[in-house]
Amino acid sequence: VFVAQLLLSGEGDRLIAVQSLIGAIGMTAFTYFLPYVLLIALAPVPLGAGRLAWMTLNIAAGLIVMFAGLASSVEELYSSSSGFFDGECRLEYTYSPESPDDPCFLSGLPHEAGR
């Protein structure tokens, strides 16, 4: 309950921002540059200069993408935060079939009394 309240207080977008922060680091590292780093470190034979330059370029580009995603995710996390436990958890929609705001009510579906 503590973690849920911490993540959902405020706008509720904090959980999505944490997910994008994790993806900016993990997905980018494992997809773009970590395979090249491991190949350079664990290559059984010495790599040629051209191949090493190409891998270094890919590593640099991957690091740039990772740090750009990291900065964007941290900024999003900071902007969606209203502080620890400061915000309210607001629900934009609550299911209520007898309410005129409910999509089922507006669709003209028959409503049974007593349900």
Side-chain angles (χ1 to χ4, degrees):
V1 172
F2 175 77
V3 173
Q5 177 64 32
L6 180 71
L7 290 174
L8 293 176
S9 63
E11 295 295 317
D13 294 336
R14 198 178 302 180
L15 192 58
I16 295 171
V18 169
Q19 181 182 1
S20 66
L21 176 69
I22 293 167
I25 297 170
M27 189 279 302
T28 307
F30 282 110
T31 302
Y32 291 111
F33 68 89
L34 201 54
Y36 293 111
V37 170
L38 293 175
L39 181 60
I40 290 171
L42 302 173
V45 295
L47 301 172
R51 194 167 181 197
L52 191 60
W54 175 249
M55 289 182 188
T56 304
L57 178 68
N58 283 316
I59 291 169
L63 286 171
I64 290 170
V65 168
M66 185 182 79
F67 284 118
L70 180 67
S72 172
S73 297
V74 167
E75 190 274 327
E76 182 183 354
L77 185 62
Y78 180 73
S79 68
S80 71
S81 173
S82 62
F84 291 111
F85 304 115
D86 287 344
E88 296 178 7
C89 182
R90 290 176 270 152
L91 297 175
E92 299 296 327
Y93 174 75
T94 305
Y95 177 71
S96 177
E98 301 301 320
S99 169
D101 295 330
D102 191 298
C104 292
F105 184 83
L106 296 175
S107 69
L109 293 175
H111 299 284
E112 293 180 37
R115 268 188 138 187

